[in-house]
Amino acid sequence: MRLAHRRMPLGEDILLARHGSNIAEMTQDRKRNLTRARLCDGSTDTASNHLVNLNAMASLTPAERMSKVAENYTEDRLSVSRSEIRLMAKLSGIWLVASTALIMGFGWAIYNYGDPEMLVQMMNTPMM
């Protein structure tokens, strides 16, 4: 009779090699594809569950890399969550609108109230 063997994630193997019997508990972080170990002294360590093949990454075209990032974004597997990305996009939009309004306000004030002769006089006055 064959027993069903559970495939051991690579991270478990790495952590066992690093810490051996000092591991109190191991958990899987599926979102980040990591194995997390809590050690007997209370500290933690993590290891990736996959090997990064740099040659395979280098052979990807920029479009393929962007599609991979987009896929990771839709599946919420990036190092920052989708909600954090949305928050930063909203804050950037608010900052853009506020900056544009401020610049347009200064431009309007200078156009309506600016005296060209006074500006030329100010530019020619030596600084002390």
Side-chain angles (χ1 to χ4, degrees), residues 59-127:
S59 66
L60 293 176
T61 65
E64 290 170 332
R65 271 184 260 154
M66 283 305 294
S67 68
K68 191 172 207 139
V69 169
E71 178 185 326
N72 288 341
Y73 173 76
T74 57
E75 294 175 6
D76 205 13
R77 288 188 299 184
L78 295 176
S79 58
V80 292
S81 69
R82 289 169 60 175
S83 61
E84 291 171 329
I85 292 172
R86 277 192 229 111
L87 174 66
M88 289 307 295
K90 287 176 186 175
L91 290 176
S92 298
I94 292 169
W95 185 261
L96 177 67
V97 168
S99 299
T100 303
L102 186 66
I103 290 170
M104 289 178 72
F106 282 142
W108 176 82
I110 290 170
Y111 181 76
N112 286 323
Y113 300 110
D115 182 17
E117 292 175 10
M118 184 189 296
L119 291 174
V120 170
Q121 183 184 0
M122 286 171 48
M123 287 189 276
N124 289 332
T125 305
M127 297 293 252

Side-chain angles (χ1 to χ4, degrees), residues 10 12 18-20 25 32-33 38 43-44 49 78 80 99 102 111 115 120 122 126:
L10 179 63
E12 286 186 17
R18 280 186 200 160
H19 303 289
E25 176 187 24
R32 292 182 179 88
N33 204 12
R38 187 173 51 83
S43 63
T44 60
N49 285 330
L78 295 176
V80 292
S99 299
L102 186 66
Y111 181 76
D115 182 17
V120 170
M122 286 171 48

Side-chain angles (χ1 to χ4, degrees), residues 14-33:
I14 293 169
L15 290 170
L16 281 171
R18 280 186 200 160
H19 303 289
S21 62
N22 291 330
I23 297 174
E25 176 187 24
M26 273 199 260
T27 57
Q28 294 297 318
D29 185 350
R30 304 262 182 239
K31 182 177 179 182
R32 292 182 179 88
N33 204 12

